[in-house]
Amino acid sequence: MLHQQKIFSPAAENIRVKVLSNRCIKPGHFRLAFRVPVSFPEAVPGQFVHIKVGEGPVPLLRRPFSISNYTPGKIQIIYAVVGQGTKILSHAKRGDYLDMLGPAGKGFCICEEAKTHLLIGGGMGAAPLVFLARKILKKVKKDSSISVFLGFKTKQEIILKEEFAKNSIIGLQIATEDGSFGYRGLVSELFEDYLKKISSTSKFSIYACGPLQMLKTVARLSFDYDIFSQVSMEEIICCGVGACRGCVIKGTAGYMRVCQEGPVFDAKKISWS
Amino acid sequence: MLHQQKIFSPAAENIRVKVLSNRCIKPGHFRLAFRVPVSFPEAVPGQFVHIKVGEGPVPLLRRPFSISNYTPGKIQIIYAVVGQGTKILSHAKRGDYLDMLGPAGKGFCICEEAKTHLLIGGGMGAAPLVFLARKILKKVKKDSSISVFLGFKTKQEIILKEEFAKNSIIGLQIATEDGSFGYRGLVSELFEDYLKKISSTSKFSIYACGPLQMLKTVARLSFDYDIFSQVSMEEIICCGVGACRGCVIKGTAGYMRVCQEGPVFDAKKISWS
Amino acid sequence: MDKFNVELAATIGRVKLKNPVLVAAGTFGYGEEYAKYVDLNKLGGLIAKTITLKPRKGNPPPRLTETPAGLLNSIGLENSGIDSFIEKNLPFLHNLKTALIVSIAGENEEDYLRLADRLGKEKCIHALEVNVSCPNVNSGSKMIGEEPELVFSLTRRLKEVSGLPFFIKLSAQIGRMVELSQAAREAGAEAVSLINSIPAMAIDVDKMCPKLGNVVGGLSGPAIRAIAVKIVWEVHSKVDIPIIGMGGIMSLEDALEFVLAGASAVAVGTANFIDPQVSLKIIDELEHYLYEKKIRSFSELVGKLKTGG
Amino acid sequence: MDKFNVELAATIGRVKLKNPVLVAAGTFGYGEEYAKYVDLNKLGGLIAKTITLKPRKGNPPPRLTETPAGLLNSIGLENSGIDSFIEKNLPFLHNLKTALIVSIAGENEEDYLRLADRLGKEKCIHALEVNVSCPNVNSGSKMIGEEPELVFSLTRRLKEVSGLPFFIKLSAQIGRMVELSQAAREAGAEAVSLINSIPAMAIDVDKMCPKLGNVVGGLSGPAIRAIAVKIVWEVHSKVDIPIIGMGGIMSLEDALEFVLAGASAVAVGTANFIDPQVSLKIIDELEHYLYEKKIRSFSELVGKLKTGG
Ligand SMILES: Cc1cc2nc3c(=O)[nH]c(=O)nc-3n(C[C@H](O)[C@H](O)[C@H](O)COP(=O)(O)OP(=O)(O)OC[C@H]3O[C@@H](n4cnc5c(N)ncnc54)[C@H](O)[C@@H]3O)c2cc1C
Ligand SMILES: Cc1cc2nc3c(=O)[nH]c(=O)nc-3n(C[C@H](O)[C@H](O)[C@H](O)COP(=O)(O)OP(=O)(O)OC[C@H]3O[C@@H](n4cnc5c(N)ncnc54)[C@H](O)[C@@H]3O)c2cc1C
Ligand SMILES: Cc1cc2nc3c(=O)[nH]c(=O)nc-3n(C[C@H](O)[C@H](O)[C@H](O)COP(=O)(O)O)c2cc1C
Ligand SMILES: Cc1cc2nc3c(=O)[nH]c(=O)nc-3n(C[C@H](O)[C@H](O)[C@H](O)COP(=O)(O)O)c2cc1C
Ligand code: FES
Ligand code: FES
């Protein structure tokens, strides 16, 4: 198992940003890009932006979205319309301004010693993994490999397949619950099947983002196979700066703030029961 | 003075209506037309429609707008964007559906015996007068005349001038508070100047819609000159069907509901002090 | 799954409702105003606007203002008094095929007793809702709804003058809802109606004056829902009395919050102003919901909140 | 009009503020969390998150849920205790050039006294806010903030242990705000802070369980503003004690409602989460507002509501 490294959290800003595009990538799913100052702190995969949607008091709070890509001067998020806030956001047009706070939280630490990077995403959990895969490709040595495992309910809900597929270094496997595409079953089952076939898991590193149940299984597998694993957790985010203590989850050593100590955590530090 | 006639209030409906158009007629002002069933009760000038804007709980209540034109199967309103509700309404597009309740309230009664119809409108108060003028032209004898007096803050805010001007039978006079167009001063002052020059006001009838202060002055003048006058009053409208008693104004014989006994009242029945 | 019939009937003590969705006092007039928009016979019941012994002209306008997700009103119990109600409104209500509950308010105990006595003689009334918590009446003295002893005494005496079931309507203005509900129960009330609108106020900062003519009003609508649900849950947990839950119900989901928290029936108030048909929609959706969840009878849902511990 | 300088300073008893806009307890952490977003020195003052004698881990998650125009929280006073506060947070706060008010809570009178005693020795603290109304602590027994006698006794004894000014923080859960404020005044409190979040609850109807891990939480945000304004106005009308008004303030207009109703200063809570800079914007706009209205000093506005009669 590799050692956990210090997860990087640069300074954040609270600014008005200009929407560059907000495209529907498939029914109910959008990719939004906005401009940030070139001086903007470099974002790390797994970090999020906290966006005020709409003007009125409903919805009241900002909404958090993982950064799915960062290049100097530009940030991208990918989101699903699930409620009122994301619905309002989906109406944002090129040229509109959004109030954004970020980059917030702690992102994934890329294990430079690892040779095999395993990225597991469930549903919208695929969003930050695109950014992460890009970063891993840049940082790590040529002889290391990246395998991505994505899970969706059905074929219709698959997102970001092309983004991963276009890079031949990345091994991509997809599971659908109804078997309409790829592996039939949960992505965690697909992942377990994969691990079972592996003789040695030394210098492996796991990065996961998705529904709690999926993360739970992935964490258990990482313990069983003794692989260092990082998981991105969700809770309602309120202040996003660590002040309100509203976003806590249970850790082995007490409550931890998703917006501050997370959203990416060492799976070992989380109380999974 | 002519006798007050029974003000007509037909059955109303609460239905989803389809937007036919919603055009900006000048900055911050819109004309919205929507389809109603051909069986829809015939609307009377001065009546209003009560529209649910937006979906969420903010704004909570429906918003009332005077009918500025009715033809079988089609209703038109003209509105100014003054707050959140009208802002949301301004985003309605052709083909959208609105939840509408109406035609609600009691409209103007057209005094068929009158020879001289005087229509006084302040600001958005001009909206129902377009419809009213059209109706008077249809109903009354050829030898009677219509004079319209409109008041606005400045030239920029003038609305509906063309609608009245295009009919040569209508005498149109406009006042602006800053004198940037027409008479310099309040429309009530313009109207008073007009009355002063008249030798006899027999068979005159007054119809007024606009800010409270204007209606007050018009009412006083109508008493001084002994002309039957009807005024369209405003209050926050809640249920719009006479049930909640939230929209009352003070009448000489107790509180009266704007949505039920009004919005058009015989000026004599209102307690103006 | 076998097809089965869902049972929507609700029970509030001796009062049987065909379904648990009522319309709240003061938000539906005397029914007639809404008759052309809504098939009244489909409602679980109708709570008629509060009546008093003598006519009341109500509070000076403006009587309404909006707040974020809320409605502030100071109607002040405008009504034409009981004689007018019996003569002009009751004949219409008499013909309805749904439960009729009449809300009453008085300035003192005697008023309530006389109202109950008169109304007890009318055949078509299923229950009386005793409004002891209107935030819009400034009688100067303490409201009955503020003191458990006063609630107890009033309820006791009401039961002496009439065999009608009584629902005691309380408000969130008092942090003593449990005590007050307990007093209502001990005195034999059929149910408590929770909650009335909450005393509140809004100011026009430009004019530096209150937005309401009466200065203070009652807050209703979605803004108060979470407060109301908490009160219903607390009273349900601690007092053995049926509850009619209300406060900001706009949808089936909202209604179910009250039911799970312990309300045997719910009343829709402010939402009627926004959509007169909302109660019928909730009834329809409730039927589908029960069917899909394979729950045979609405009453199984009452108080079914799981609180872990 | 002559150009003139507007005086923003506000006075709460012995406490002088450079302007009347504070940030509310529990919504701004210990300042440091927001330091990179806001120039803290421009605030009228900072009310630090409630601290207790011993560390508290707070309530189980989920701790937050949204309601229409409101936020429901059950943080449960999570904090590291007074030792940690003095060691880790106070040094940062010490350097601020604005009024520092520290919020304290205890399980009993002794806790409060020990906290006041310890904090009374720190030079940089301008006042203590005594939180006797947190809706998220289920101690089982009655809260001090529910009983005027308990408020009186606590305040009296606090004044014996420390010369610091005390603000007593009360909540809307009790319909006895006037009595409670009166008790605070008689015992020598510097001010009352009105209001804390209101006990409330939301239910996930799909899962049939409460949305918060603690079942019950406190409602804050615009939804409660009209309720808070009414309480401030009522207490201001009846009790001679300075008030720090709060509850749903999102803008200058909202803040002015509290001031006109009688608050000598205001605190911004939930709004900080949505816009960390909102307090500074309100201060800026207040200055413009006073200038345009030709009001030389902020304090002239306090309680200036015109109620006709
Ligand atoms: C760190 C983090 C990163 C996220 N990244 C993404 C992403 O990249 N793409 C994406 O589509 N979604 C992402 N989400 C989820 C996204 O924030 C929610 O879907 C969104 O807030 C829902 O808002 P709504 O108003 O549309 O829905 P609502 O109607 O408010 O709620 C729908 C669901 O979203 C949850 N939710 C609501 N508000 C919040 C909040 N403030 N914080 C967290 N969850 C909330 C609710 O619990 C509910 O289950 C992320 C969440 C977190 C915590
Ligand atoms: C019978 C009647 C007919 C009207 N006809 C027209 C018309 O033809 N064209 C037009 O532009 N306007 C008309 N109005 C006014 C129009 O209803 C308001 O401008 C509109 O409701 C404002 O909504 P808002 O959300 O944009 O503004 P808000 O921000 O809510 O308020 C702006 C102003 O509108 C008033 N207002 C808010 N809600 C209501 C309500 N439910 N009822 C009445 N007033 C309210 C407020 O008191 C405030 O002064 C009419 C009003 C009435 C009562
Ligand atoms: C305009 C209005 C008038 C009301 N009148 C009465 C009344 O006459 N008697 C009464 O007991 N409650 C009255 N109420 C309170 C409601 O019956 C209900 O208890 C409260 O509004 C909470 O429910 P809601 O949020 O669904 O409206 C009134 C409420 C409103 C909004
Ligand atoms: C997340 C959160 C945490 C809070 N924590 C505290 C606290 O620790 N101590 C306290 O006295 N009040 C606390 N409050 C209450 C606020 O200080 C304030 O009284 C209340 O939220 C009303 O103001 P608002 O609507 O502007 O938020 C908290 C409020 C929120 C929303
Ligand atoms: S959201 Fe406030 S501490 Fe995390
Ligand atoms: S708006 Fe309800 S009676 Fe007129």
Side-chain angles (χ1 to χ4, degrees):
Chain A
M1 203 205 85
L2 305 177
H3 296 295
Q4 198 209 348
Q5 295 169 10
K6 198 184 158 297
I7 290 170
F8 181 58
S9 167
E13 297 194 31
N14 171 28
I15 45 174
R16 284 176 77 73
V17 297
K18 196 167 180 175
V19 175
L20 294 169
S21 63
N22 188 23
R23 279 202 207 98
C24 184
I25 53 173
K26 63 183 306 164
H29 292 73
F30 290 78
R31 173 187 285 123
L32 186 149
F34 53 84
R35 201 188 291 292
V36 289
V38 183
S39 63
F40 194 74
E42 189 181 336
V44 171
Q47 284 192 302
F48 65 94
V49 289
H50 208 23
I51 295 180
K52 170 81 186 119
V53 294
E55 292 163 36
V58 178
L60 189 62
L61 296 178
R62 288 165 180 267
R63 294 292 188 258
F65 301 97
S66 300
I67 295 169
S68 73
N69 206 3
Y70 165 86
T71 48
K74 186 173 158 185
I75 282 182
Q76 204 183 72
I77 60 171
I78 294 165
Y79 62 95
V81 174
V82 298
Q84 207 182 353
T86 44
K87 189 174 171 188
I88 294 174
L89 189 61
S90 74
H91 295 143
K93 290 184 306 292
R94 184 186 166 86
D96 286 356
Y97 280 87
L98 292 175
D99 186 332
M100 186 231 43
L101 192 153
K106 301 233 173 10
F108 288 102
C109 102
I110 296 173
C111 293
E112 312 214 4
E113 308 104 275
K115 285 270 159 68
T116 308
H117 300 273
L118 304 172
L119 283 55
I120 302 108
M124 290 310 298
L129 300 184
V130 181
F131 184 20
L132 176 64
R134 234 173 43 92
K135 280 281 175 189
I136 296 176
L137 285 171
K138 271 198 194 152
K139 261 201 174 170
V140 299
K141 301 160 206 95
K142 279 278 127 51
D143 63 341
S144 54
S145 74
I146 302 183
S147 291
V148 177
F149 304 83
L150 300 181
F152 303 94
K153 285 229 160 60
T154 71
K155 188 179 167 178
Q156 280 74 45
E157 298 197 356
I158 296 176
I159 53 165
L160 301 173
K161 181 165 142 265
E162 287 70 30
E163 269 77 355
F164 291 106
K166 72 182 168 199
N167 196 318
S168 60
I169 301 167
I170 298 175
L172 174 65
Q173 297 187 55
I174 290 179
T176 54
E177 286 180 38
D178 64 355
S180 52
F181 188 93
Y183 180 94
R184 179 196 214 97
L186 299 169
V187 65
S188 48
E189 292 163 355
L190 165 64
F191 183 59
E192 184 161 12
D193 284 1
Y194 161 86
L195 287 177
K196 278 183 186 153
K197 291 178 203 136
I198 300 290
S199 49
S200 154
T201 57
S202 108
K203 302 215 169 180
F204 274 40
S205 186
I206 290 176
Y207 313 79
C209 184
L212 185 62
Q213 204 45 55
M214 179 203 103
L215 298 179
K216 237 181 201 166
T217 315
V218 170
R220 181 180 49 75
L221 291 169
S222 78
F223 304 151
D224 292 350
Y225 287 85
D226 196 22
I227 310 172
F228 173 57
S229 66
Q230 300 172 64
V231 291
S232 180
M233 304 292 288
E234 282 200 19
E235 244 314 325
I236 304 261
I237 306 292
C238 177
C239 69
V241 305
C244 75
R245 308 206 160 249
C247 63
V248 301
I249 56 170
K250 219 169 168 180
T252 47
Y255 294 131
M256 305 182 293
R257 292 164 295 181
V258 167
C259 78
Q260 202 65 12
E261 285 83 42
V264 177
F265 295 89
D266 178 343
K268 284 225 159 63
K269 298 209 163 157
I270 287 168
S271 162
W272 292 105
S273 55
Chain B
M1 203 206 82
L2 306 177
H3 297 295
Q4 195 210 353
Q5 296 168 10
K6 197 182 160 301
I7 292 171
F8 182 58
S9 166
E13 297 194 31
N14 170 28
I15 46 174
R16 284 178 77 73
V17 297
K18 196 167 181 174
V19 174
L20 294 169
S21 63
N22 187 24
R23 278 200 210 99
C24 183
I25 54 173
K26 62 183 309 169
H29 292 74
F30 289 78
R31 173 186 284 123
L32 186 149
F34 54 83
R35 200 188 290 292
V36 289
V38 183
S39 63
F40 194 75
E42 189 181 336
V44 172
Q47 285 192 300
F48 66 95
V49 288
H50 208 24
I51 296 180
K52 171 82 186 119
V53 293
E55 292 162 34
V58 179
L60 189 62
L61 296 179
R62 287 165 181 266
R63 294 292 188 259
F65 301 97
S66 300
I67 295 168
S68 74
N69 205 3
Y70 165 86
T71 48
K74 186 173 158 185
I75 281 181
Q76 204 183 72
I77 61 171
I78 293 165
Y79 62 96
V81 174
V82 298
Q84 206 182 355
T86 44
K87 188 173 171 189
I88 294 174
L89 190 61
S90 74
H91 294 143
K93 290 183 307 291
R94 183 186 167 84
D96 286 355
Y97 279 87
L98 293 174
D99 187 332
M100 187 229 45
L101 192 153
K106 301 233 173 12
F108 289 103
C109 102
I110 296 173
C111 294
E112 312 213 6
E113 306 105 274
K115 284 268 159 67
T116 308
H117 299 273
L118 305 173
L119 281 56
I120 302 106
M124 290 309 300
L129 301 185
V130 181
F131 184 20
L132 177 63
R134 235 173 42 90
K135 280 281 176 187
I136 296 177
L137 284 172
K138 271 198 192 149
K139 259 201 173 170
V140 299
K141 301 162 205 91
K142 280 276 129 49
D143 63 343
S144 52
S145 74
I146 303 183
S147 291
V148 178
F149 304 83
L150 300 182
F152 303 95
K153 285 227 158 59
T154 73
K155 187 179 170 179
Q156 280 74 43
E157 298 198 356
I158 296 176
I159 52 164
L160 302 173
K161 180 166 142 264
E162 287 71 30
E163 270 77 355
F164 291 107
K166 72 184 171 201
N167 197 318
S168 59
I169 300 168
I170 298 174
L172 174 66
Q173 295 187 54
I174 290 180
T176 55
E177 286 179 38
D178 65 354
S180 53
F181 188 93
Y183 180 93
R184 179 193 214 99
L186 298 171
V187 65
S188 47
E189 292 163 357
L190 166 64
F191 183 58
E192 183 160 13
D193 284 0
Y194 161 86
L195 286 178
K196 276 184 188 151
K197 290 178 205 138
I198 299 289
S199 50
S200 153
T201 57
S202 109
K203 301 215 169 179
F204 274 40
S205 185
I206 290 176
Y207 313 79
C209 183
L212 186 61
Q213 205 43 56
M214 179 202 106
L215 298 180
K216 238 181 201 168
T217 314
V218 169
R220 181 181 48 75
L221 291 169
S222 77
F223 304 151
D224 291 351
Y225 287 85
D226 197 22
I227 309 172
F228 173 57
S229 66
Q230 299 171 65
V231 292
S232 180
M233 304 293 288
E234 281 200 19
E235 245 314 326
I236 305 259
I237 306 292
C238 178
C239 68
V241 304
C244 75
R245 307 206 161 250
C247 63
V248 301
I249 56 171
K250 217 167 168 182
T252 47
Y255 294 130
M256 304 182 294
R257 291 165 296 181
V258 166
C259 77
Q260 201 66 12
E261 285 83 45
V264 177
F265 295 90
D266 179 342
K268 283 228 158 63
K269 299 209 162 158
I270 286 167
S271 163
W272 291 104
S273 53
Chain C
M1 187 177 89
D2 279 347
K3 225 177 126 68
F4 66 92
N5 282 330
V6 158
E7 181 54 78
L8 283 180
T11 312
I12 307 170
R14 286 174 288 157
V15 182
K16 310 287 169 205
L17 304 175
K18 64 173 119 179
N19 70 62
V21 183
L22 307 161
V23 285
T27 66
F28 219 72
Y30 303 107
E32 214 165 341
E33 296 91 333
Y34 276 106
K36 59 184 161 191
Y37 302 104
V38 185
D39 182 349
L40 302 174
N41 292 328
K42 289 193 176 159
L43 293 170
L46 187 152
I47 308 177
K49 181 166 167 49
T50 302
I51 54 169
T52 51
L53 268 183
K54 298 204 197 90
R56 282 181 62 96
K57 50 190 184 72
N59 286 324
R63 290 181 175 179
L64 295 170
T65 187
E66 275 175 275
T67 69
L71 173 66
L72 194 52
N73 90 79
S74 63
I75 311 295
L77 299 186
E78 173 176 344
N79 79 101
S80 311
I82 187 163
D83 294 336
S84 164
F85 172 76
I86 290 177
E87 189 191 329
K88 295 199 187 127
N89 304 112
L90 211 50
F92 173 85
L93 293 167
H94 188 86
N95 290 323
L96 293 184
K97 287 175 194 64
T98 186
L100 172 63
I101 295 139
V102 177
S103 170
I104 56 171
E107 282 164 30
N108 49 46
E109 229 181 62
E110 296 314 314
D111 283 4
Y112 284 99
L113 295 173
R114 283 167 65 190
L115 285 160
D117 183 40
R118 286 281 303 272
L119 294 168
K121 293 173 185 134
E122 300 295 334
K123 288 276 143 19
C124 61
I125 298 174
H126 293 65
L128 295 182
E129 188 176 74
V130 187
N131 183 357
V132 288
S133 55
C134 181
N136 288 316
V137 202
N138 309 333
S139 67
S141 62
K142 238 185 177 136
M143 275 196 294
I144 291 177
E146 287 183 295
E147 288 301 332
E149 312 83 70
L150 300 179
V151 167
F152 181 87
S153 151
L154 172 62
T155 311
R156 243 310 140 78
R157 294 191 59 194
L158 281 170
K159 291 201 53 94
E160 284 163 16
V161 302
S162 162
L164 276 174
F166 295 101
F167 305 161
I168 311 297
K169 184 159 182 182
L170 301 169
S171 160
Q173 79 217 91
I174 320 117
R176 303 161 77 187
M177 302 304 277
V178 170
E179 286 171 77
L180 290 162
S181 300
Q182 189 66 44
R185 193 195 86 86
E186 280 165 14
E190 212 74 18
V192 283
S193 294
L194 304 173
I195 63 172
N196 212 323
S197 53
I198 303 178
M201 168 172 183
I203 293 171
D204 183 325
V205 299
D206 248 0
K207 301 190 190 138
M208 296 192 176
C209 69
K211 287 193 179 173
L212 299 181
N214 187 49
V215 184
V216 171
L219 186 65
S220 66
I224 69 166
R225 189 168 60 236
I227 300 173
V229 170
K230 150 77 167 52
I231 289 172
V232 167
W233 179 73
E234 197 179 10
V235 171
H236 176 75
S237 311
K238 298 188 180 156
V239 188
D240 181 24
I241 189 167
I243 296 167
I244 299 147
M246 66 196 85
I249 295 176
M250 309 289 281
S251 67
L252 172 65
E253 209 181 314
D254 302 343
L256 289 176
E257 285 200 63
F258 283 89
V259 173
L260 293 170
S264 298
V266 297
V268 174
T270 302
N272 293 309
F273 304 141
I274 293 130
D275 179 1
Q277 274 135 16
V278 64
S279 308
L280 301 192
K281 289 177 189 163
I282 293 175
I283 295 163
D284 255 17
E285 287 171 21
L286 176 63
E287 192 167 358
H288 279 96
Y289 172 90
L290 293 174
Y291 188 80
E292 265 158 36
K293 290 258 176 185
K294 300 181 194 172
I295 299 169
R296 281 185 189 265
S297 167
F298 162 76
S299 58
E300 291 173 34
L301 278 180
V302 177
K304 277 294 142 24
L305 183 74
K306 302 173 207 151
T307 52
Chain D
M1 188 175 89
D2 279 346
K3 227 178 124 68
F4 67 92
N5 282 329
V6 158
E7 182 55 78
L8 284 180
T11 312
I12 307 170
R14 286 174 287 157
V15 182
K16 310 287 169 206
L17 305 175
K18 64 172 121 184
N19 70 60
V21 183
L22 307 161
V23 285
T27 66
F28 219 73
Y30 302 107
E32 214 165 340
E33 296 91 332
Y34 275 105
K36 58 184 164 194
Y37 302 104
V38 185
D39 182 350
L40 302 174
N41 292 329
K42 289 192 175 159
L43 293 170
L46 187 152
I47 309 179
K49 181 167 168 47
T50 302
I51 54 169
T52 51
L53 269 183
K54 299 205 199 85
R56 282 181 62 97
K57 40 185 191 77
N59 286 323
R63 290 181 175 179
L64 294 169
T65 188
E66 275 175 274
T67 69
L71 173 65
L72 194 52
N73 89 79
S74 64
I75 311 296
L77 300 186
E78 172 176 345
N79 80 100
S80 311
I82 188 162
D83 295 334
S84 164
F85 172 76
I86 289 177
E87 187 190 331
K88 296 201 186 126
N89 304 113
L90 211 50
F92 173 85
L93 293 167
H94 188 86
N95 290 321
L96 293 184
K97 289 176 191 64
T98 186
L100 172 61
I101 295 138
V102 176
S103 170
I104 56 171
E107 280 165 30
N108 48 48
E109 230 182 59
E110 296 314 314
D111 284 4
Y112 284 98
L113 294 173
R114 285 168 65 191
L115 286 160
D117 183 39
R118 288 279 304 272
L119 294 167
K121 291 168 188 139
E122 301 296 334
K123 288 275 144 12
C124 61
I125 298 174
H126 294 64
L128 295 182
E129 187 175 77
V130 186
N131 182 357
V132 289
S133 54
C134 180
N136 288 316
V137 202
N138 308 332
S139 67
S141 62
K142 236 181 181 139
M143 277 195 293
I144 291 178
E146 286 181 294
E147 288 300 334
E149 310 85 67
L150 300 179
V151 167
F152 181 87
S153 151
L154 173 61
T155 311
R156 246 306 141 80
R157 295 192 59 194
L158 281 170
K159 291 202 56 93
E160 284 162 17
V161 301
S162 162
L164 277 173
F166 294 102
F167 305 162
I168 311 296
K169 183 157 183 184
L170 301 170
S171 160
Q173 78 216 91
I174 321 116
R176 302 161 78 187
M177 301 304 277
V178 170
E179 286 171 77
L180 290 161
S181 300
Q182 189 65 46
R185 194 196 84 87
E186 280 165 15
E190 212 74 19
V192 283
S193 294
L194 303 172
I195 61 172
N196 212 322
S197 53
I198 304 178
M201 171 173 179
I203 293 171
D204 182 325
V205 300
D206 248 359
K207 301 190 189 139
M208 295 192 175
C209 70
K211 286 194 179 173
L212 299 181
N214 187 49
V215 183
V216 171
L219 187 65
S220 66
I224 70 166
R225 188 168 59 236
I227 299 173
V229 170
K230 149 77 167 51
I231 289 173
V232 167
W233 179 73
E234 197 179 9
V235 170
H236 176 75
S237 312
K238 298 188 181 156
V239 188
D240 181 24
I241 189 167
I243 297 166
I244 299 148
M246 67 197 85
I249 295 177
M250 308 289 282
S251 67
L252 172 65
E253 207 181 314
D254 302 343
L256 288 175
E257 285 199 62
F258 283 88
V259 173
L260 292 170
S264 299
V266 296
V268 174
T270 302
N272 293 309
F273 304 141
I274 294 129
D275 179 2
Q277 274 135 18
V278 65
S279 308
L280 301 191
K281 288 177 189 164
I282 292 175
I283 295 163
D284 256 18
E285 287 172 20
L286 176 63
E287 192 168 359
H288 279 97
Y289 172 90
L290 293 173
Y291 187 80
E292 265 157 37
K293 290 257 176 185
K294 300 181 193 169
I295 299 170
R296 281 186 189 264
S297 166
F298 161 76
S299 59
E300 290 173 34
L301 277 180
V302 176
K304 278 292 143 26
L305 184 75
K306 302 171 206 153
T307 52

